[in-house]
Amino acid sequence: MSTIEEQKILIELETMPFIVGPTENEQQRKQQVFDELGTKKEAIENAQCDTKSVLSTLISRKNGISATSGLINFICGMIGPGCFSLAVSFKQAGLWGGLALVFIVGFLSLYSMHKIVSCSQFLAKSNGDQSLDYGEMAEAAMLNSYRWARKHAKLAKIVVNACLLAFQLGVITVFMVFAVEHVIEIWEFIADAPPPFSKSVMILLYFVPQMLLNFIGHMKLITILCLCGNVIILAAIVLITKELMVHKWYPTWELNTVTGIEGISLAAGALIYSFEGQAMVLPLENSLKHPKDMTGLTGVLSTAMNLVTVLYAFLGFFGYVTFGPAVQGSLTLNLPNSILTVSIKGLLVLKIFFGSAIQLFVIVQMLLPTLRSKISDERKIVHRFLPYALRLGLMLISLCLALVVPNLMQIIPLVGITSGLLISLILPSFLDCMVFLPVYKKQGDMFHYYQKMIINVFLFVLGWLFLGSGLYSSIDDIINNDV
C-alpha cells in the first residue's frame, strides 16, 4: 500500500475539503430518512424507489476529474512501499498458497470497495449530489436503516473513524520501521560496517527529524514533493523486476507449497495491508466528473484493482522464487548494495519521510475540531499549542509501537489483520446490509434480500475469523520473535 493520503490530499487541495473529519457544511447537510427516499426525486418516484434507479441518478460535476485521471490516481495510491513486502506473504503462506491468496484478497478488496461506493451513491444521490466520506457514509447508512439502528448512527461514524485512525497510526509505524531498516542498509554500504547503534536507538534518532517535520501544519508543498515519489517507486519496481529476471531462481519444489493456518493468517494480514485502499475510494468517487465511471467491469475500481493484483502477484511470486527463505521484509532489502540500489533506497527513505507527515496531517484534521470544541475559546494559549501537542502524542503512540515491533515482517501483518481487515471487509459487509436490506424488504424483493444477507453474513463472519486467528498468530510471532 502506498501513502494513499497523498492522492487524496492532492485532489482535495484542488477540488474539495478534506474528507476525514467534520466538513464545512456538515451542520447544513440534510439527514436522509429511508421512508422518504421514494419522494426525493422524480426519477426515483417513476422507478418506484428501485435501488438501480437511485444509483443511476448520477450528477455530472463541472469541476470533476476524468476517469483516466482517477484511474492513474488510484493506481499510484495503491502502489507504494507495501508492494515490496509481498514476497514475505508467499514465504508465510507457501508459494502456491500465497499466489492463490493474492487473488482471493484482491477480489475481496475489490468487492468490498464496490460495496462502499454503492452504499455511498445510494445514500448520497437520493438527496442530490452530496459527498460522503467513509465515516459520514456509515452514519447515513444507520440513519436510513432500521429504526433500532438509527440511534447508533453516531457510534457507527465513531467506530469507522477510529478504525481509520488506528490504520493511519499503523501505517506511520510501518513507515518508521521501513525507513530505519533502509537507513541501516545505506549506513552499512557507506561505512562498510554495521551502525554503532541498535535498531531501537536508530528508530529514536529517526523520530527526531520526523517529528520536527510533522510540526508543519501546511502540507501542500510536502504533498506535491511526495507525489513525485511515485517516480521513485516506479524506478524501484523496475530495478527489482530486472533483478528478479536475471537472478538464479530456486526450484519451485524446494519451496513450501502451502503452509498452515498460522502462516496463511500472517500472509493475509500483510496482503490486506498492501491492498488497503478503502479510505481512498469515496474521496476519489466524489472527485470524478461522472461517478458512474467508478464502478462496472471496466470502471476505475475494477481496472485499477486488476492491474494492481497482477503486479502484486508478480512481485510476490518471483520475489519468493528468487530469494527463497532468505527473503526479507522488503524486496529492496534483498537487493545487492551498489551505488544505484543504495541511491534508490535513499530516495525511498525520503518518500517515506514526507509520506509520514501527510499521514499524520490527515489524522490531525480528523481529531482537532472535536478536541477544540471541548476547550473554552478563552483559553487561547491552549488552542494555539493544541495541534502540536496532538501531533506529538500521536507520533509517540506510533514510536512506542515501532519500538515494540521493530520488524517489517511482523508489524505489517499486525496492522493489516486488525484495523485493515475491519476497514476492508468487516465494516463494508455490515454497512451494505444496513443500507440495502431494508430497501429490498420494503420492495418485497426477498430473493435479493436473502442473497445479500447470506453473502454479507458469510464475509462478516469470515472477517472476524481471520482477525482472530491472524491476531493470535501475529502476537505469537512477535513474542517468539519467529522472523
Side-chain angles (χ1 to χ4, degrees), residues 5-14 223-224 227:
E5 304 306 331
E6 300 165 16
Q7 312 299 328
K8 295 194 296 184
I9 293 178
L10 185 65
I11 296 170
E12 290 153 359
L13 288 170
E14 296 174 350
T223 302
I224 294 173
L227 285 173

Side-chain angles (χ1 to χ4, degrees), residues 6 29 36 61 68 86 126 161 174 189 217 239 246 300 315-316 371 397 406 424-425 441 444 448 472:
E6 300 165 16
R29 181 173 285 158
E36 297 173 0
R61 304 182 181 113
T68 303
L86 293 165
S126 62
N161 285 338
V174 171
F189 176 76
L239 189 64
V246 301
V300 171
L315 291 175
L371 293 177
I397 294 174
S424 62
L425 186 60
K441 188 172 184 179
H448 287 98
Y472 172 83

Side-chain angles (χ1 to χ4, degrees), residues 400-452:
C400 292
L401 184 56
L403 292 173
V404 172
V405 193
N407 191 290
L408 282 176
M409 293 176 65
Q410 295 173 337
I411 186 62
I412 290 178
L414 180 62
V415 174
I417 207 67
T418 52
S419 55
L421 190 60
L422 284 165
I423 294 170
S424 62
L425 186 60
I426 296 174
L427 288 174
S429 299
F430 173 76
L431 295 175
D432 192 51
C433 282
M434 291 296 99
V435 171
F436 290 110
L437 289 188
V439 176
Y440 288 133
K441 188 172 184 179
K442 186 174 183 179
Q443 295 174 354
D445 189 353
M446 302 311 294
F447 173 78
H448 287 98
Y449 176 88
Y450 287 111
Q451 181 189 55
K452 184 169 288 290

Side-chain angles (χ1 to χ4, degrees), residues 75 77 82 157 220 231 364 374 436 446:
I75 292 176
K157 182 177 180 180
K220 186 171 183 178
V231 178
V364 172
K374 298 181 180 299
F436 290 110
M446 302 311 294

